[in-house]
Amino acid sequence: MHITRINLTNYRNIRSWVVEPHRSLTVFLGPNAAGKTNTIEAIQVACTGTSFRKPAWSELVQWGEPASQITVEADGETPGVSTTLVVGVDGQRVWKLNGVKKRSAAAATRFVPVVVFTPDDLAMVKGPAEQRRSNLDALGEQLSPVYGALRRDYMRVVRQRNALLREEATPTELEPWDVQVITLGARLHTHRRRLLSRVAGYLTPTYHELSKGESLGIRMVDRCGVGETPIDKEVSNDVVVERLRRELARRMSDEHLRKVTLVGPHRDDIEFTINGAEARPFASQGQQRTIALAWKLAEVRVVNTVLMKTPVLLLDDVMSELDQDRRAALTGLIQQDIQTFVTTTNTGYFDPELLDQATVLKVGLGS
């Protein structure tokens, strides 16, 4: 599927803007704070219901205006049939798909999958564990509504259990929440492990190619009591349930002392190795960026395989952060019939022949 039209009204600093993008490459060119990233974000919000910036929804409305609106049109899977999604933000969110109001973002989105690559992703190797989990979970939620619902339900349970721990609840009062941490947590960990295995299947050969021969390893460092199990080895839900039960019992006194849930997939991490050495303390900046790029290229392949759709690629000012070889790798992906939206302050990072075939839109303050 391809996005054919974007209409933004009172979205952040954009009062009104209509974009008819290229089927291949659309470049948003302009100075910082002009609205380039806002446009990329709006596409992601419409297509996934989330934003890589993690804003409060009120922040999406232009100052002084009562509401904002995003309209995205895309050609459908059936030739000649288009899909229109409207997202309205006015203190609450209103979703309409082909004119029909939907009860939630999950019911309206996912018709156009997206892969987002921002400068923050370049720090995923040495950044906090939450960044790596979020990258994986954002992919999982696009691939399956079950994954997203499971993650949201589990995190609600953890927040409630943390509140009870802060109130010094008794073991009896915690028991119903322990059961939910175990049952939902085991399912989430199992889904996440399977998804990571899928990503790794494309990530490791892609990194090997981009790095000209280096070997990338990837493993899950879990907090569910499973231990260091190769991610390509299936671990049953029943096994994770039992390990979580044991780990919760073992860490009970620590949790009461620290007043927070220490056990479960909300504390899982992903660890990379390069030629057998841990990447987090030892990887060079170039190696870190190669891992991040390879990860995004792997996401595209996973979406293609699972959903049988080519995702839209959103690149927010990353070309300036990559060297010539890594930019060439991204350019190669763009040339494989994947619709791409890029923000930049300088078109010098692009092959002139590629730009000749693209739509370049100048973005200025007040667009």
Side-chain angles (χ1 to χ4, degrees), residues 21 36 39 47 59 79 83 122 150 155 236 240 242 250 252 258 278 304 330 337 343 354:
K36 304 186 305 297
T39 307
C47 294
E59 295 174 18
T83 299
L122 296 171
L150 178 58
M155 292 309 300
S236 73
V240 183
E242 183 56 34
R250 187 179 74 85
M252 182 185 302
R258 296 174 59 177
E278 289 187 28
N304 254 318
L330 266 183
D337 194 32
T343 69
L354 184 64

Side-chain angles (χ1 to χ4, degrees), residues 205-279:
T206 301
Y207 180 86
H208 183 81
E209 181 180 352
L210 292 176
S211 66
K212 298 180 172 58
E214 290 182 344
S215 175
L216 180 70
I218 182 169
R219 63 190 180 197
M220 180 172 285
V221 182
D222 78 277
R223 294 294 181 265
C224 300
V226 176
E228 291 191 11
T229 305
I231 58 172
D232 57 354
K233 180 181 178 181
E234 184 75 16
V235 178
S236 73
N237 187 75
D238 290 344
V239 167
V240 183
V241 164
E242 183 56 34
R243 299 290 174 82
L244 264 172
R245 183 178 291 113
R246 292 181 191 174
E247 194 68 4
L248 270 176
R250 187 179 74 85
R251 301 295 303 276
M252 182 185 302
S253 60
D254 290 340
E255 290 189 330
H256 280 280
L257 181 65
R258 296 174 59 177
K259 299 183 179 1
V260 68
T261 302
L262 300 173
V263 175
H266 64 290
R267 300 181 76 91
D268 285 347
D269 198 358
I270 298 167
E271 187 176 273
F272 303 99
T273 61
I274 298 175
N275 294 334
E278 289 187 28

Side-chain angles (χ1 to χ4, degrees), residues 47-320:
C47 294
T48 70
T50 62
S51 164
F52 59 89
R53 289 165 153 174
K54 298 178 173 57
W57 285 100
S58 60
E59 295 174 18
L60 305 186
V61 181
Q62 189 171 65
W63 181 259
E65 297 295 336
S68 67
Q69 182 170 291
I70 310 166
T71 302
V72 171
E73 298 176 19
D75 56 10
E77 297 173 349
T78 303
V81 178
S82 63
T83 299
T84 302
L85 175 66
V86 178
V87 185
V89 181
D90 60 354
Q92 61 179 354
R93 298 176 300 286
V94 178
W95 303 84
K96 290 184 180 180
L97 184 62
N98 292 331
V100 179
K101 188 174 180 179
K102 298 295 180 178
R103 297 180 61 183
S104 66
T109 57
R110 299 180 69 251
F111 67 98
V112 177
V114 302
V115 171
V116 184
F117 193 12
T118 76
D120 287 345
D121 292 316
L122 296 171
M124 70 177 296
V125 174
K126 294 195 176 185
E130 169 62 22
Q131 184 176 1
R132 290 179 285 278
R133 287 194 303 268
S134 293
N135 264 287
L136 189 62
D137 289 342
L139 175 61
E141 291 189 26
Q142 286 201 82
L143 299 178
S144 166
V146 172
Y147 191 112
L150 178 58
R151 180 176 177 271
R152 288 189 292 273
D153 289 346
Y154 173 76
M155 292 309 300
R156 277 194 289 267
V157 169
V158 169
R159 286 192 294 270
Q160 181 60 44
R161 189 173 185 274
N162 286 345
L164 290 171
L165 285 168
R166 289 193 296 271
E167 295 168 4
E168 300 185 349
T170 66
T172 300
E173 291 171 324
L174 284 172
E175 184 176 2
W177 301 99
D178 293 349
V179 171
Q180 292 190 67
V181 165
I182 291 168
T183 55
L184 293 175
R187 289 178 60 202
L188 178 57
H189 179 82
T190 302
H191 278 280
R192 187 182 276 162
R193 181 181 288 272
R194 288 173 181 163
L195 179 56
L196 184 59
S197 180
R198 275 189 180 273
V199 172
Y202 296 112
L203 173 62
T204 51
T206 301
Y207 180 86
H208 183 81
E209 181 180 352
L210 292 176
S211 66
K212 298 180 172 58
E214 290 182 344
S215 175
L216 180 70
I218 182 169
R219 63 190 180 197
M220 180 172 285
V221 182
D222 78 277
R223 294 294 181 265
C224 300
V226 176
E228 291 191 11
T229 305
I231 58 172
D232 57 354
K233 180 181 178 181
E234 184 75 16
V235 178
S236 73
N237 187 75
D238 290 344
V239 167
V240 183
V241 164
E242 183 56 34
R243 299 290 174 82
L244 264 172
R245 183 178 291 113
R246 292 181 191 174
E247 194 68 4
L248 270 176
R250 187 179 74 85
R251 301 295 303 276
M252 182 185 302
S253 60
D254 290 340
E255 290 189 330
H256 280 280
L257 181 65
R258 296 174 59 177
K259 299 183 179 1
V260 68
T261 302
L262 300 173
V263 175
H266 64 290
R267 300 181 76 91
D268 285 347
D269 198 358
I270 298 167
E271 187 176 273
F272 303 99
T273 61
I274 298 175
N275 294 334
E278 289 187 28
R280 186 166 187 175
F282 300 117
S284 68
Q285 186 179 73
Q287 289 171 320
Q288 294 174 57
R289 294 181 175 198
T290 302
I291 291 174
L293 173 58
W295 180 284
K296 292 301 173 179
L297 298 181
E299 282 191 26
V300 172
R301 297 288 299 278
V302 171
V303 170
N304 254 318
T305 302
V306 176
L307 298 182
M308 304 297 289
K309 295 179 179 179
T310 301
V312 169
L313 186 60
L314 307 178
L315 307 178
D316 183 37
D317 199 28
V318 293
M319 300 300 268
S320 62

